[in-house]
Amino acid sequence: PTREDAMREYARIWTLLGGRQIEDLVELPLINDPEVLDTLDVFSEAVTPSFFFDEHLLSLVVCRLVSLSLEYGNCDASCFAYVLLSRVAGPRFGDFQFGFRFGQLGYDLVEQRGLKRFEAKTYLCFSIFSVRWMKPVQACRDLLRRAFAAANRLGDIPYAAYACNSMNSDLLFAGEPLPEAQAEAERGLAYVERMHFGLVIDFIATQLALIR
């Protein structure tokens, strides 16, 4: 897709939102149409590959996830979609506050409505795409720990690994003592090596080299 395709889908979110407050969307009815749920699941699976493939595709996929949720109601995938919108709304379109409010909505859906299937993804993405931009970076750490714990409980090993390298980034950015950052990085590296996750092994090995 082109940037214009992504922008049209982003504009559609504003149209579907209408006069509603973002915070009120937590009360939307839950989706029970199996075709809509299947469609949302397919788009959710497309998110991570699109991160590494094409920025316009990522924006289009995320905005379509949000649009479907605004049209049909909330489900587990909606939590993930709403926090991902902060990744698109802020860096791509300059609407950081709009994106943060949607990120908070995704987090609140997990906490208040018990939509837990994407819990690990929601906590991680809320931390790195919403909170990190709008609050002191130290506020991310509890979310990252919760993401790591949820990912291990759910068997979502990639997102457990991403929580490890994200924690290292936060410690470095906040200027924490290097011995503490090194110990955290070494724990994370040991974890991802046990999981044989080559991508994040490279991430953390590079972070650890910088710290040393």
Side-chain angles (χ1 to χ4, degrees):
T2 64
R3 177 177 172 82
E4 288 69 31
D5 294 329
M7 290 181 69
R8 276 194 295 273
E9 193 66 32
Y10 181 67
R12 189 162 175 262
I13 292 172
W14 289 83
T15 301
L16 290 169
L17 184 62
R20 295 179 291 182
Q21 293 296 309
I22 295 169
E23 292 74 18
D24 295 338
L25 300 176
V26 74
E27 300 299 336
L28 285 177
L30 299 182
I31 300 171
N32 54 26
D33 185 327
E35 289 191 12
V36 176
L37 291 170
D38 287 347
T39 302
L40 285 161
D41 276 353
V42 170
F43 275 108
S44 297
E45 289 298 324
V47 165
T48 302
S50 68
F51 267 113
F52 300 101
F53 181 68
D54 183 83
E55 188 73 23
H56 303 319
L57 178 61
L58 173 65
S59 298
L60 186 64
V61 167
V62 169
C63 291
R64 184 64 56 83
L65 272 165
V66 173
S67 296
L68 286 167
S69 297
L70 295 180
E71 282 187 87
Y72 294 99
N74 290 322
C75 65
D76 293 276
S78 303
C79 309
F80 188 34
Y82 293 147
V83 296
L84 286 170
L85 188 62
S86 58
R87 166 68 174 78
V88 172
R92 294 301 310 282
F93 301 114
D95 294 328
F96 284 93
Q97 189 61 47
F98 182 74
F100 180 80
R101 290 170 68 194
F102 264 100
Q104 185 70 55
L105 170 64
Y107 173 81
D108 289 342
L109 268 177
V110 175
E111 295 291 296
Q112 297 178 24
R113 302 291 297 271
L115 299 174
K116 300 280 189 178
R117 186 156 64 93
F118 291 92
E119 179 183 6
K121 291 179 172 66
T122 299
Y123 288 158
L124 179 80
C125 292
F126 185 49
S127 170
I128 65 177
F129 298 140
S130 299
V131 176
R132 185 184 285 178
W133 290 88
M134 301 298 288
K135 293 187 177 182
V137 71
Q138 292 89 339
C140 297
R141 292 179 200 165
D142 180 61
L143 282 166
L144 290 173
R145 292 187 185 97
R146 294 174 69 187
F148 181 79
N152 278 283
R153 187 176 70 251
L154 296 167
D156 192 349
I157 300 305
Y159 275 79
Y162 297 143
C164 293
N165 72 266
S166 296
M167 181 68 79
N168 300 334
S169 296
D170 283 3
L171 293 173
L172 285 166
F173 189 83
E176 298 296 347
L178 289 177
E180 295 179 19
Q182 179 172 335
E184 184 69 42
E186 288 171 345
R187 284 193 295 272
L189 184 60
Y191 175 84
V192 297
E193 285 178 338
R194 288 198 305 275
M195 300 299 113
H196 306 288
F197 193 177
L199 176 68
V200 182
I201 290 172
D202 289 345
F203 287 168
I204 298 180
T206 304
Q207 293 171 321
L208 188 54
L210 173 64
I211 292 166
R212 287 172 174 163

